[in-house]
């Protein structure tokens, strides 16, 4: 699902599509559904294939109080559901606003890799300025449409189209665009202090510091010859940012005061990437080492929904950074406590395996709500709903890994295959892959199960020839490794889905975990 990963596996046109979820994020604002007696509880011991149909799985969601996957999602109003904003979607915010009233078109990447696009999305959402979204691939994982290259010959993102009497005027460079939006829509939640104030001067200085921080991070991460000095410089920059948080508006959560400002929006996408890349490559935990930065990031997660729902995880970030910026270099040793974060992040060995530990025990560097252990049924339901809604496209996506299919390298993102030729040698692979995904969803929705079990496997999977089983498992692993956060699912649900896919694979090895882990070592991704 990750875009390097190219496009979401459930996209309509596999090479370039945007994701398609249905109401998943509504779960985050509800109490977890009460685990009812699910209709699929004994599904896998039954010979009745109708009970294992996708229609029956959808009906099970409805019984749990989740809208049917056939229901369309209206993205024009209400919460910002980042995964639902497909190409040409509208955000109107107010029912009195009509489509013809929309003045702005945001051109941004569908895989949610681009931090410059992310901060523009946050600004438009925070100010509630109606806009249209057009999704444009980054070159690292796909091609750009000709119409966009005609408008922006460099192909760079983001861009903003502004409706004028003479047609659409196109602006580029995210900071210039954001300043334009502030000046053009001053009456809508202003995010900068008055120009003649000292605080405005402070905001300009902080913007320069944010760009300096970006340069220091690049030197630290991507230039091996500067490692020790670059680390010291980067840490001095982090300390300067921490001091700004302490001194400019003491006792306030944000840089300029009690509300997020344009400076906060400019900086937060990059600090998210600083944090995750330093965990993966440098065994360095910024949020633990700099408490003021952690408090500020937590405040942004709480106050800006467009940020909290667009946050990635370390795995997704580690896979999308290199295609954009170039090779990153590892610290010369493990973390002080001896943990190899890369293995945990990339799902090697026993990671991404059931039973999952609570998030705070396994991944204590991932900030989560205190009350959420990452194991609840709501996360399992989110994961199942995505697969149920998109199962047909997902089967075709995962078949890229089947024997006989080809994945020519046409882009720099290593997990992206926009030009894959799907040609499985054995036609049974497609049929059994569909069966495996139904089994996955039935297990996820069964509150009485803590893992898939070989005894519950559908007969056709249990009795399949070894070579076909292994082909199906390879396809499932391909799917697992391309689950992107936030593009496809929020972190907790993505983590659950990855682990339950591994659980299905293990059940196909007759619950022999040693045999599964040996095979898994052949399928998991390489270090970034």
């Amino acid at each position: 699902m990750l875009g390097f990963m190219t496009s979401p596996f459930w996209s309509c046109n596999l090479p370039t599509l945007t994701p398609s979820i249905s109401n998943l994020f509504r779960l985050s604002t509800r109490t977890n559904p009460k685990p009812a007696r699910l209709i699929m509880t004994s599904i896998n011991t039954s010979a009745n294939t109708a009970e294992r149909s996708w229609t029956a799985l959808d009906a099970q969601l409805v019984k749990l109080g989740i809208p049917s996957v056939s229901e369309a999602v209206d993205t024009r109003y209400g919460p910002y559901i980042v995964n639902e904003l497909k190409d040409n979607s509208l955000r109107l915010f107010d029912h009195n606003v009509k489509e013809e009233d929309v003045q702005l078109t945001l051109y941004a990447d569908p895989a949610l890799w681009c931090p410059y696009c992310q901060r523009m999305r946050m600004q438009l959402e925070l100010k509630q300025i109606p806009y249209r979204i057009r999704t444009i691939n980054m070159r690292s994982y796909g091609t750009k449409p000709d119409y966009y290259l005609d408008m922006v010959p460099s192909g760079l993102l983001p861009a903003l189209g502004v409706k004028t009497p003479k047609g659409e005027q196109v602006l580029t460079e995210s900071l210039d665009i954001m300043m334009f939006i502030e000046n053009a829509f001053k009456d809508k939640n202003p995010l900068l202090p008055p120009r003649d104030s000292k605080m405005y001067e402070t905001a300009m200085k902080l913007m320069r510091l944010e760009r300096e921080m970006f340069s220091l991070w690049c030197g630290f991460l991507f230039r091996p010859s500067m490692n020790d000095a670059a680390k010291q410089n980067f840490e001095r920059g982090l300390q300067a940012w921490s001091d700004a948080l302490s001194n400019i508006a003491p006792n306030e959560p944000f840089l300029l005061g009690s509300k997020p400002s344009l400076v906060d929006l400019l900086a937060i996408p990059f600090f998210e990437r600083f944090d995750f890349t330093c965990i993966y490559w440098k065994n360095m935990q910024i949020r633990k080492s700099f408490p003021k930065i952690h408090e500020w990031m937590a405040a942004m997660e709480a106050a800006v929904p467009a940020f909290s729902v667009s946050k990635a995880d370390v795995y997704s970030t580690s896979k999308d950074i290199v295609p954009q910026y170039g090779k990153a270099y590892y610290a010369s040793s493990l973390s002080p406590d001896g943990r190899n974060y890369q293995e945990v992040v990339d799902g090697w060995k026993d990671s991404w395996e059931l039973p999952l530990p609570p998030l705070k025990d396994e991944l204590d560097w991932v900030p989560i709500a205190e009350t959420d252990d990452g194991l609840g049924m709501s996360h399992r339901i989110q994961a199942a709903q995505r697969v149920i809604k998109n199962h047909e496209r997902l089967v075709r996506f995962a078949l890229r890994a089947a024997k006989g299919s080809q994945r020519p390298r046409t882009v720099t993102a290593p997990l992206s295959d926009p030009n894959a030729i799907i040609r499985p040698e054995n036609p049974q692979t497609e049929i059994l892959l569909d069966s495996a995904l139904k089994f996955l969803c039935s297990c996820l929705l069964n509150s009485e199960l803590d893992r898939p079990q070989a005894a519950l496997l559908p007969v056709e999977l249990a009795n399949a020839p070894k070579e076909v089983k292994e082909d199906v498992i390879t396809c499932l692993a391909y799917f697992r490794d391309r689950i992107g956060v936030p593009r496809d699912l929020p972190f907790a649900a993505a983590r659950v889905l990855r682990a339950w896919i591994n659980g299905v694979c293990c059940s196909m090895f007759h619950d022999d975990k040693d045999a599964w882990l040996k095979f898994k070592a052949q399928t998991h991704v390489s270090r970034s």
Side-chain angles (χ1 to χ4, degrees):
M1 305 160 50
L2 283 169
F4 28 105
M5 300 184 176
T6 173
S7 53
F9 57 70
W10 27 62
S11 307
C12 297
N13 293 315
L14 287 174
T16 56
L17 278 172
T18 55
S20 151
I21 54 182
S22 174
N23 300 320
L24 291 184
F25 288 97
R26 293 184 188 177
L27 290 166
S28 63
T29 59
R30 292 180 180 173
T31 304
N32 286 351
K34 198 174 186 180
R37 185 90 180 159
L38 302 178
I39 64 170
M40 300 297 290
T41 296
S42 60
I43 182 175
N44 301 299
T45 59
S46 168
N48 186 344
T49 55
E51 288 184 75
R52 289 191 273 111
S53 70
W54 292 110
T55 301
L57 288 164
D58 186 28
Q60 187 172 342
L61 289 175
V62 173
K63 284 192 174 184
L64 290 169
I66 310 302
S68 168
V69 296
S70 62
E71 288 188 24
V73 178
D74 190 345
T75 59
R76 295 173 298 172
Y77 318 103
Y80 178 66
I81 307 177
V82 65
N83 315 67
E84 283 291 351
L85 290 177
K86 308 177 188 71
D87 186 41
N88 220 26
S89 293
L90 288 170
R91 288 289 282 159
L92 301 180
F93 302 104
D94 187 329
H95 286 269
N96 293 319
V97 177
K98 306 300 181 189
E99 181 174 355
E100 55 268 25
D101 299 328
V102 175
Q103 301 178 49
L104 304 181
T105 299
L106 174 62
Y107 298 90
D109 81 296
L112 303 171
W113 285 12
C114 174
Y116 302 98
C117 300
Q118 185 183 7
R119 61 192 193 178
M120 282 192 56
R121 288 177 186 242
M122 289 191 291
Q123 182 188 27
L124 293 170
E125 289 292 319
L126 205 55
K127 294 176 76 71
Q128 296 206 343
I129 300 170
Y131 68 97
R132 183 185 302 277
I133 183 88
R134 297 303 310 268
T135 56
I136 307 294
N137 287 331
M138 298 180 76
R139 285 196 177 94
S140 52
Y141 63 80
T143 57
K144 296 178 185 289
D146 290 340
Y147 85 86
Y148 186 73
L149 293 174
D150 290 341
M151 292 192 310
V152 183
S154 68
L156 294 177
L157 292 169
L160 185 74
V162 183
K163 186 187 293 185
T164 72
K166 295 182 179 180
E168 186 177 66
Q169 177 187 358
V170 178
L171 308 177
T172 57
E173 299 296 336
S174 66
L175 179 56
D176 293 343
I177 295 171
M178 294 176 81
M179 295 297 286
F180 164 81
I181 289 171
E182 283 306 302
N183 292 325
F185 298 90
K186 292 179 180 177
D187 58 328
K188 286 182 172 286
N189 187 18
L191 298 175
L192 280 175
R195 275 183 172 270
D196 57 357
S197 67
K198 287 187 177 180
M199 194 60 86
Y200 185 87
E201 294 179 16
T202 299
M204 297 300 108
K205 291 178 181 177
L206 285 169
M207 288 183 190
R208 290 192 289 273
L209 177 59
E210 183 270 326
R211 285 294 81 191
E212 185 177 350
M213 285 295 309
F214 175 76
S215 297
L216 294 173
W217 170 70
C218 288
F220 181 39
L221 203 65
F222 304 112
R223 297 171 194 163
S225 61
M226 300 173 57
N227 206 20
D228 291 340
K231 180 179 181 182
Q232 293 172 10
N233 290 335
F234 183 58
E235 288 176 334
R236 279 196 288 269
L238 291 170
Q239 188 59 56
W241 196 264
S242 182
D243 291 343
L245 287 163
S246 298
N247 299 325
I248 294 173
N251 303 317
E252 296 290 359
F254 305 106
L255 284 160
L256 302 184
S258 60
K259 299 193 307 181
S261 69
L262 194 70
V263 185
D264 297 286
L265 300 188
L266 287 170
I268 195 66
F270 290 95
F271 273 81
E272 177 193 345
R273 286 156 179 81
F274 299 165
D275 181 36
F276 287 164
T277 55
C278 285
I279 286 167
Y280 188 85
W281 277 285
K282 301 298 186 181
N283 294 313
M284 175 182 177
Q285 299 183 56
I286 293 173
R287 292 180 74 149
K288 281 191 171 181
S289 301
F290 295 88
K292 289 299 295 185
I293 292 177
H294 168 69
E295 291 170 12
W296 167 64
M297 294 182 73
M300 288 294 289
E301 288 156 1
V304 185
F307 173 56
S308 61
V309 303
S310 64
K311 277 176 59 64
D313 64 348
V314 183
Y315 176 78
S316 303
T317 301
S318 72
K319 300 297 174 280
D320 74 44
I321 285 292
V322 172
Q324 296 181 75
Y325 296 98
K327 180 178 174 59
Y329 291 87
Y330 287 93
S332 57
S333 62
L334 294 176
S335 60
D337 62 0
R339 299 182 70 185
N340 189 331
Y341 286 124
Q342 295 85 29
E343 291 187 358
V344 176
V345 168
D346 286 339
W348 291 14
K349 299 179 181 176
D350 276 336
S351 58
W352 294 8
E353 293 294 331
L354 297 171
L356 286 171
L359 274 174
K360 63 182 179 61
D361 295 338
E362 182 186 74
L363 304 175
D364 57 0
W365 34 263
V366 176
I368 58 169
E370 291 293 329
T371 56
D372 189 352
D373 63 6
L375 305 176
M377 276 299 295
S378 65
H379 303 306
R380 290 168 59 172
I381 292 169
Q382 280 186 300
Q385 187 191 37
R386 287 303 302 271
V387 177
I388 293 167
K389 182 178 178 67
N390 299 280
H391 64 273
E392 291 180 355
R393 290 186 289 272
L394 176 51
V395 168
R396 298 298 296 167
F397 178 89
L399 282 171
R400 293 174 175 184
K403 288 181 181 178
S405 294
Q406 299 174 30
R407 304 201 300 273
R409 301 306 313 143
T410 58
V411 292
T412 58
L415 299 187
S416 178
D417 301 306
N419 300 106
I421 301 169
I422 301 169
R423 194 181 293 149
E425 286 180 4
N426 193 322
Q428 285 299 305
T429 299
E430 181 171 358
I431 296 167
L432 294 179
L433 179 57
D434 182 80
S435 180
L437 291 176
K438 283 187 284 194
F439 177 57
L440 167 69
C441 292
S442 69
C443 292
L444 282 166
L445 293 177
N446 188 337
S447 61
E448 296 181 359
L449 291 179
D450 61 1
R451 66 179 68 223
Q453 298 171 14
L456 301 179
L457 273 173
V459 172
E460 63 272 20
L461 276 176
N463 295 339
K466 179 176 179 288
E467 62 274 13
V468 180
K469 273 189 186 177
E470 291 186 353
D471 206 20
V472 170
I473 290 169
T474 301
C475 292
L476 290 173
Y478 181 90
F479 158 34
R480 173 201 67 204
D481 293 340
R482 287 155 181 79
I483 297 169
V485 177
R487 195 200 62 191
D488 301 316
L489 282 168
F491 171 61
R495 174 178 177 260
V496 163
L497 183 54
R498 291 165 184 156
W500 281 73
I501 291 170
N502 281 343
V504 169
C505 294
C506 186
S507 73
M508 293 173 69
F509 277 93
H510 308 287
D511 294 335
D512 183 339
K513 190 158 186 185
D514 289 339
W516 156 236
L517 291 179
K518 184 177 179 181
F519 189 86
K520 176 186 175 182
Q522 304 170 35
T523 66
H524 63 54
V525 298
S526 302
R527 293 202 313 180
S528 297

